[in-house]
Amino acid sequence: KAGVTQTPRYLIKTRGQQVTLSCSPISGHRSVSWYQQTPGQGLQFLFEYFSETQRNKGNFPGRFSGRQFSNSRSEMNVSTLELGDSALYLCASTPGGRTTGELFFGEGSRLTVL
Amino acid sequence: GEDVEQSLFLSVREGDSSVINCTYTDSSSTYLYWYKQEPGAGLQLLTYIFSNMDMKQDQRLTVLLNKKDKHLSLRIADTQTGDSAIYFCAEIPPGAGSYQLTFGKGTKLSVIP
């Protein structure tokens, strides 16, 4: 079974630009979560989608948005990039429903903002 | 406190036991997790413990939970060089979504051959 796939793996943007990151969950998984990982703040929850609906959202500004498609693939978008948005963005999928909360993570998309 | 806290670094010799400690934020957290991150990779769930348990053992891994002190520990027996990684403690606080984990900053384990 293929794991969680994130694209692109690496990207470089400049301040003010926008970026879209993609995540393909494990086949059959309906929940996709996004986390931001930085050296200073560690891992922080961005949002979670289930069946195309955002179920939970972390404490991030409105520049961070996401969506989920009917095939469970998810994208997140960051507009008006700032230097502080440089991070590893991790996507995780789960079957959804009531489980132990185990997350299956992708390898991440490393964003550098210059 | 409001943060999940872990020491940042741990160095052990190959073959010794490693103990990674964590203090979490809410004694009502139902599940507590240990994740592992190897260089250049995403996180991988190592083990988890339900809040009504004191201990869980899984091969070389032993998790101890002290709910009164909100203390969680991960013991790795016979530590190998392949265990070198960053280990994250995580919880789902009450009121958070099912997959809204709060992570510690991670403990970087270095295994000396």
Side-chain angles (χ1 to χ4, degrees):
Chain A
K1 206 177 206 183
V4 177
T5 304
Q6 293 188 244
T7 56
R9 290 290 314 279
Y10 303 91
L11 66 167
I12 300 173
K13 294 284 187 178
T14 56
R15 280 180 298 174
Q17 288 187 311
Q18 70 152 11
V19 66
T20 299
L21 308 177
S22 179
C23 172
S24 293
I26 291 172
S27 177
H29 285 191
R30 296 168 63 193
S31 168
V32 173
S33 303
W34 289 89
Y35 286 79
Q36 181 196 62
Q37 185 177 23
T38 60
Q41 298 298 316
L43 282 149
Q44 294 187 286
F45 173 79
L46 281 157
F47 25 65
E48 186 237 344
Y49 287 87
F50 179 82
S51 293
E52 302 179 66
T53 301
Q54 186 182 88
R55 286 203 296 196
N56 295 288
K57 189 177 191 306
N59 189 25
F60 277 82
R63 300 185 298 107
F64 292 80
S65 63
R67 60 178 176 169
Q68 187 181 33
F69 302 96
S70 58
N71 61 357
S72 294
R73 189 177 70 86
S74 178
E75 289 181 347
M76 66 162 284
N77 183 278
V78 187
S79 62
T80 319
L81 284 165
E82 300 176 0
L83 295 178
D85 297 332
S86 295
L88 181 66
Y89 290 88
L90 291 164
C91 167
S93 75
T94 73
R98 288 184 66 82
T99 71
T100 57
E102 177 180 2
L103 299 177
F104 296 83
F105 282 87
E107 293 183 319
S109 293
R110 184 166 295 281
L111 170 65
T112 302
V113 181
L114 302 177
Chain B
E2 295 196 0
D3 293 335
V4 176
E5 295 186 353
Q6 305 177 235
S7 53
L8 294 182
F9 301 99
L10 176 65
S11 182
V12 299
R13 293 205 173 273
E14 189 173 19
D16 288 350
S17 292
S18 308
V19 179
I20 302 171
N21 294 301
C22 167
T23 302
Y24 59 98
T25 66
D26 198 312
S27 58
S28 300
S29 293
T30 304
Y31 289 100
L32 295 149
Y33 305 84
W34 284 105
Y35 278 84
K36 175 183 180 182
Q37 186 177 34
E38 296 180 0
L43 277 70
Q44 173 193 2
L45 179 68
L46 276 180
T47 186
Y48 64 90
I49 188 167
F50 190 55
S51 60
N52 68 352
M53 301 168 67
D54 296 325
M55 185 183 86
K56 180 178 180 181
Q57 189 151 0
D58 184 1
Q59 298 183 333
R60 292 191 297 122
L61 305 178
T62 303
V63 178
L64 296 178
L65 175 61
N66 180 330
K67 283 185 67 175
K68 174 177 168 291
D69 294 335
K70 292 183 285 186
H71 186 262
L72 184 73
S73 68
L74 173 70
R75 178 176 179 269
I76 306 173
D78 188 24
T79 312
Q80 302 298 307
T81 54
D83 295 323
S84 293
I86 302 176
Y87 292 80
F88 293 90
C89 166
E91 64 176 341
I92 300 177
S98 297
Y99 306 109
Q100 190 170 348
L101 272 66
T102 299
F103 286 88
K105 294 274 176 72
T107 299
K108 184 173 183 179
L109 174 64
S110 299
V111 182
I112 305 164

